Amino acid sequence: MALFSAQPQSICILRLSAIGDVCHAISVVQAIQKHWPKTKITWVCGKIEGQLIGDLPNIRVVVFDKKAGYKGMKSVWQQLKSERFDALLDMQVALRASALSLGIKAKYRIGFSKNRTKEGQWWFTNRHLPDTQSCHVLDNFADFARYLGVPFTTPSWHIPQSQDDIQFAQAHIQQPTLIISPAASKDERNWLTERYAAIADYAQEKQLQVILCGSPAAREVKLGEDICALCNHKPLNLIGKTSLKQLTALLGQATVVIAPDTGPAHLATTQLTPVIGLYAHSNPQRTGPYNSLDTVVSVYDQFAQQQYGKSVAELPWGTRVKGNNLMQAITVDAVIEQLNKFI
């Protein structure tokens, strides 16, 4: 039975990070808004993520600065001290998020199901989703909407873009374009530099423009420079040269995106741009680009079998495989096979 039989007055979303997971959550929050247009939505998120959701229609955004520690928590609590929500959707299992939730007043404090929760989230919530067999993170988020009483089938997104951001993208993309976002959150999850370069050269020989994108983090900037140095045909390197919304607009104008397990893969999905995801350490059926799971190049299954002696279907949800050199098992030919579908 649904938690609400009528439209609630207010809901608080607690999902601080990361960009990919916030992209998943946006589709769920906007489904709630569509079903209950008069429900007031407040979203507590991280600073970077606030750049993405700060102008989503009819959502009040409260930014938590995790670098400020306890002072950052107090700031959030101060902003929300006069409010008591009908429901708090605690969509992040990290202990930091659970601690932050203590200062947010709500009648129903809803957490993940027992077979999906961890880090003690169970003790910070008073309602829990039913056990689920949903695999993808987005589908697990969708269970929150269904628990409330909101139907959810196919995800959709509406992320506003300014005219300046659109013009920025159009100025850089005027022909069929491959965008490569080469850096994952950890270097071990990146593909090999020389193989990124080989794909960039191949794409340009097939008359695709190639653009590199990523954050201004020093490790990402260096990765982009190293890729360009190995290319016979230099791609346009925009790593560290775009805002988050400019990047979103660029991804929306692209023909196809290649990326490991990283936020831009999911940003591209919000723009309905196909993605060739590169996976070794985590199950792409759980964390891959939602609309492009059929074009993922993954070696996760073989390493999971080697390390655990079981098939993926027999392993606990969220199982990762370990190793610094797993991504080298993804061949250039395997990626070209997928890329050829878009040429």
Side-chain angles (χ1 to χ4, degrees):
M1 181 179 294
L3 184 62
F4 294 106
S5 58
Q7 181 170 244
Q9 290 188 345
S10 62
I11 292 174
C12 182
I13 309 297
L14 179 57
R15 180 70 217 190
L16 304 176
S17 61
I19 290 296
D21 289 325
V22 167
C23 288
H24 302 326
I26 287 172
S27 68
V28 176
V29 172
Q30 291 186 329
I32 294 171
Q33 288 182 296
K34 183 178 181 179
H35 190 67
W36 289 328
K38 294 183 179 180
T39 298
K40 296 179 180 178
I41 304 289
T42 297
W43 191 327
V44 182
C45 68
K47 289 180 69 175
I48 294 175
E49 293 72 19
Q51 298 174 29
L52 180 64
I53 66 175
D55 58 355
L56 292 182
N58 303 315
I59 294 177
R60 175 193 178 191
V61 175
V62 177
V63 172
F64 168 60
D65 182 2
K66 66 180 182 180
K67 292 183 178 179
Y70 182 65
K71 288 184 178 179
M73 290 189 181
K74 288 180 65 177
S75 175
V76 171
W77 297 340
Q78 180 67 24
Q79 293 177 69
L80 300 178
K81 67 177 183 179
S82 62
E83 301 184 49
R84 186 173 189 268
F85 298 98
D86 291 316
L88 167 67
L89 307 190
D90 191 352
M91 301 174 77
Q92 188 145 0
V93 295
L95 183 58
R96 188 204 311 268
S98 293
L100 179 60
S101 75
L102 289 173
I104 302 174
K105 297 184 287 291
K107 180 179 180 180
Y108 299 115
R109 311 171 65 82
I110 306 166
F112 286 97
S113 62
K114 193 169 185 179
N115 69 332
R116 291 290 185 262
T117 192
K118 58 183 180 179
E119 295 195 31
Q121 190 207 51
W122 191 267
W123 303 105
F124 294 83
T125 50
N126 60 21
R127 293 290 188 277
H128 311 103
L129 302 181
D131 279 4
T132 181
Q133 297 306 310
S134 297
C135 185
H136 200 281
V137 171
L138 193 155
D139 291 323
N140 279 266
F141 286 175
D143 287 341
F144 280 92
R146 299 184 185 106
Y147 183 77
L148 295 178
V150 175
F152 191 98
T153 52
T154 303
S156 61
W157 294 265
H158 171 55
I159 299 177
Q161 296 175 10
S162 71
Q163 194 60 38
D164 286 346
D165 293 335
I166 294 171
Q167 289 176 351
F168 175 88
Q170 291 175 340
H172 289 90
I173 297 180
Q174 299 174 356
Q175 66 186 82
T177 298
L178 163 66
I179 291 182
I180 299 175
S181 179
S185 59
K186 296 181 179 179
D187 288 341
E188 67 180 15
R189 299 178 193 171
N190 297 345
W191 202 28
L192 280 67
T193 307
E194 62 270 20
R195 297 186 189 178
Y196 281 129
I199 288 294
D201 280 338
Y202 176 84
Q204 292 183 91
E205 289 164 5
K206 294 294 184 178
Q207 307 306 310
L208 285 178
Q209 178 187 15
V210 177
I211 296 176
L212 304 184
C213 74
S215 83
R219 53 182 284 273
E220 295 197 32
V221 171
K222 184 178 186 306
L223 177 58
E225 292 172 347
D226 290 346
I227 292 170
C228 288
L230 294 173
C231 288
N232 296 320
H233 312 287
K234 302 302 181 187
L236 175 60
N237 186 2
L238 294 181
I239 293 177
K241 299 176 182 177
T242 63
S243 68
L244 194 56
K245 294 304 283 287
Q246 287 173 332
L247 174 58
T248 303
L250 277 171
L251 293 166
Q253 296 288 332
T255 305
V256 61
V257 172
I258 292 177
D261 190 1
T262 187
H266 305 293
L267 276 176
T269 297
T270 71
Q271 304 305 299
L272 305 183
T273 299
V275 180
I276 300 169
L278 310 179
Y279 282 76
H281 295 83
S282 60
N283 185 356
Q285 297 301 313
R286 184 180 74 89
T287 62
Y290 192 84
N291 291 337
S292 300
L293 298 180
D294 58 340
T295 55
V296 162
V297 181
S298 173
V299 292
Y300 170 79
D301 288 27
Q302 70 186 59
F303 286 116
Q305 178 72 44
Q306 288 177 17
Q307 294 187 14
Y308 297 99
K310 297 180 180 180
S311 68
V312 172
E314 297 174 287
L315 294 173
W317 186 81
T319 298
R320 293 184 181 274
V321 295
K322 300 178 181 179
N324 294 326
N325 302 306
L326 304 185
M327 291 291 284
Q328 69 183 17
I330 296 176
T331 66
V332 171
D333 286 345
V335 178
I336 286 176
E337 181 180 353
Q338 296 303 324
L339 181 59
N340 283 341
K341 297 177 180 179
F342 305 99
I343 295 176

